[in-house]
């Protein structure tokens, strides 16, 4: 009964490839997020969706495209992967997206681009 | 823009020692403040939070008080255990910035038996 799940857990691929990471939450939350954690553990938000609508879109290359087919799912597709995309990507969800909301994080997907 | 600064680690302690991790912030308006913890190989989980000035968040023996006058939210625990070894992140969320979480750089804590 995992609250926020991500697949795959590990992803190793070559430069230039296209890959996707999937995220699902079973908490009934309205808002979902993608974060990137670099090798120094620094965390930065990439996107957020509220009820399938894009709310936050930070300065992320347009090679990254999130898709939310329904409010329980938020997938991340990355085109033309680059070495600098290597990181751990975390999905998260929160009840409403309000400032005081607790965000619940998935276990992360470690992406390695060779 | 919003920012969070926390002390760099690693912080190495012996079991039962007192832990303090300093966190200060810059934000527009009145942010909510959080401490998240990341155990090895896992995602982040909320440790505690405070949503207005002078609020104290507490959980699992950890405490932090929202100090608006010093723009700080320092994390403390009186007696750490080996199981507290993790990376601790201070974060804020402000309505002015779209309610996104802005994280500090994280502080790795290692507790030795």
């Amino acid at each position: 009964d995992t609250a926020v799940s991500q697949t795959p857990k590990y992803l190793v691929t070559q430069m230039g490839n296209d890959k996707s990471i999937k995220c699902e939450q079973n908490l009934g939350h309205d808002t979902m997020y993608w974060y990137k954690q670099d090798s120094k553990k620094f965390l930065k938000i990439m996107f957020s969706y509220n009820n399938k609508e894009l709310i936050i879109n930070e300065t992320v290359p347009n090679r990254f495209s999130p898709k939310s087919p329904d409010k329980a799912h938020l997938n991340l597709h990355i085109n033309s992967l680059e070495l600098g995309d290597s990181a751990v990507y975390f999905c998260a969800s929160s009840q409403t997206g309000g400032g005081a909301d607790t965000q619940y994080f998935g276990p992360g997907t470690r992406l390695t681009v060779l | 823009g919003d920012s969070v600064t926390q002390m760099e680690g690693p912080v190495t302690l012996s079991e039962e020692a007192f832990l303090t991790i300093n966190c200060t912030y810059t934000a527009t308006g009145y942010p909510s403040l959080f401490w998240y913890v990341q155990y090895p190989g896992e995602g982040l989980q909320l440790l505690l939070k405070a949503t207005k000035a002078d609020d104290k968040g507490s959980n699992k023996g950890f405490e932090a008080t929202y100090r608006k006058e010093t723009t700080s939210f320092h994390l403390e625990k009186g007696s750490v255990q080996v199981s507290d070894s993790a990376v601790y992140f201070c974060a804020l969320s402000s309505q002015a910035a779209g309610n996104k979480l802005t994280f500090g750089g994280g502080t790795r804590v290692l507790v030795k038996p």
Side-chain angles (χ1 to χ4, degrees):
Chain A
D1 59 343
T2 306
V4 182
S5 59
Q6 296 178 227
T7 53
K9 190 167 174 62
Y10 300 96
L11 188 50
V12 181
T13 188
Q14 300 287 330
M15 266 197 314
N17 284 350
D18 304 337
K19 290 294 179 186
S20 292
I21 306 171
K22 296 187 175 183
C23 178
E24 176 180 2
Q25 55 96 2
N26 63 6
L27 297 167
H29 289 166
D30 288 340
T31 305
M32 296 184 73
Y33 311 81
W34 278 110
Y35 289 88
K36 179 180 180 181
Q37 185 176 46
D38 65 22
S39 59
K40 295 185 178 179
K41 296 288 190 184
F42 186 71
L43 267 162
K44 188 169 167 54
I45 191 165
M46 301 173 70
F47 304 101
S48 79
Y49 271 73
N50 181 278
N51 232 336
K52 303 195 296 175
E53 180 184 343
L54 181 65
I55 301 297
I56 294 174
N57 184 350
E58 291 291 287
T59 49
V60 176
N62 58 14
R63 298 182 295 103
F64 290 78
S65 53
K67 284 191 172 50
S68 182
D70 55 61
K71 74 174 192 177
H73 296 84
L74 180 62
N75 303 323
L76 183 65
H77 188 75
I78 316 170
N79 288 327
S80 304
L81 278 155
E82 300 177 357
L83 292 176
D85 298 332
S86 295
V88 181
Y89 293 84
F90 287 101
C91 178
S93 72
S94 70
Q95 184 74 54
T96 64
D101 271 6
T102 296
Q103 292 189 22
Y104 294 82
F105 284 77
T109 296
R110 181 175 295 276
L111 171 65
T112 303
V113 182
L114 303 175
Chain B
D2 294 352
S3 67
V4 177
T5 302
Q6 60 182 106
M7 56 192 290
E8 288 191 26
V11 174
T12 303
L13 303 163
S14 297
E15 216 167 13
E16 299 184 2
F18 185 86
L19 171 67
T20 299
I21 304 176
N22 290 339
C23 171
T24 56
Y25 67 89
T26 303
T28 306
Y30 303 95
S32 294
L33 302 175
F34 305 82
W35 277 100
Y36 280 83
V37 59
Q38 184 177 27
Y39 297 104
E42 298 183 11
L44 282 74
Q45 54 185 273
L46 180 72
L47 183 57
L48 52 85
K49 68 180 181 182
T51 58
K52 61 183 188 295
D54 300 324
D55 268 3
K56 178 187 282 189
S58 61
N59 186 26
K60 297 181 182 179
F62 289 89
E63 291 183 343
T65 301
Y66 189 141
R67 301 282 187 205
K68 187 164 172 53
E69 64 277 12
T70 54
T71 60
S72 65
F73 193 54
H74 305 321
L75 182 69
E76 296 181 338
K77 185 173 184 182
S79 177
V80 294
Q81 305 300 313
V82 172
S83 57
D84 294 324
S85 298
V87 181
Y88 293 81
F89 292 91
C90 186
L92 69 82
S93 175
S94 72
Q95 191 171 10
N99 293 326
K100 64 181 183 183
L101 272 177
T102 298
F103 286 92
T107 302
R108 184 180 297 277
V109 172
L110 177 60
V111 181
K112 295 187 173 179

